[in-house]
Amino acid sequence: SSPDSEGVSPELEKAGLLNKTKIAEGGRKLRKNWNPSWVVLVGNSLVFFKDPKSQNPDSWKPGNSRPESSVDLRGAQLQWANDLSSKKNVFKLRTITGNEFLLQSETDSLIREWYRTIQNVIDRLDKE
Ligand code: I3S
């Protein structure tokens, strides 16, 4: 992070384009609706941006853009979920509140890196 942002904004860990669908809300199953999403891992949150025009590394900054939704990673669970989709490289993120998302990329290395980075944040929060 830049010296300016230290102590002001939470640290930007990762950002990129993934395919996303929400499959449950509060434990209640939802119909899949896959869409490309600009995903930003910042601090303890995974933030989703819908608008392709917000696919700018600066756009996650508070006040700069409107996130579609945001997920608190504290107590969240991550697991590979290729059984839940015909697509390859799918993992499931389940929040403590019972919201479930599938995230997917055609690029093996990219999805593995996302999985690892999100799991690291979850593990860090578990230890707090
Ligand atoms: O798990 P499902 O229900 O087979 O998921 C597929 C459906 O959601 C489908 O939409 P409709 O059945 O509402 O038309 C989507 O187009 C597919 O992408 C979903 O399956 P995949 O395997 O892509 O996750």
Side-chain angles (χ1 to χ4, degrees):
S1 65
S2 71
D4 286 4
S5 70
E6 233 133 58
V8 178
S9 304
E11 191 181 347
L12 174 65
E13 307 245 13
K14 193 167 179 58
L17 196 63
L18 294 175
N19 294 314
K20 186 198 78 167
T21 181
K22 192 173 187 177
I23 59 165
E25 166 86 41
R28 188 177 56 90
K29 197 168 181 276
L30 298 175
R31 188 169 185 174
K32 275 182 187 166
N33 181 22
W34 285 102
N35 281 117
S37 181
W38 184 253
V39 184
V40 178
L41 181 56
V42 57
N44 303 344
S45 297
L46 202 59
V47 186
F48 302 120
F49 292 86
K50 194 177 206 168
D51 185 354
K53 278 176 281 187
S54 65
Q55 286 166 27
N56 175 316
D58 292 332
S59 64
W60 64 273
K61 286 174 183 167
N64 219 351
S65 182
R66 290 195 193 103
E68 183 192 11
S69 62
S70 171
V71 167
D72 184 359
L73 292 176
R74 192 178 294 274
Q77 293 176 324
L78 203 59
Q79 61 186 87
W80 290 107
N82 289 312
D83 55 326
L84 296 183
S85 176
S86 62
K87 301 180 195 301
K88 69 170 192 171
N89 297 335
V90 176
F91 63 73
K92 182 172 82 174
L93 177 65
R94 185 186 192 282
T95 68
I96 207 164
T97 57
N99 294 343
E100 297 183 357
F101 301 86
L102 299 183
L103 293 169
Q104 189 267 347
S105 169
E106 289 302 308
T107 309
D108 300 16
S109 57
L110 199 148
I111 199 73
R112 279 199 300 267
E113 183 64 18
W114 270 103
Y115 187 97
R116 200 170 62 84
T117 308
I118 295 171
Q119 188 63 63
N120 284 345
V121 172
I122 293 172
D123 290 346
R124 167 167 60 73
L125 292 169
D126 280 348
K127 284 184 204 122
E128 279 181 10

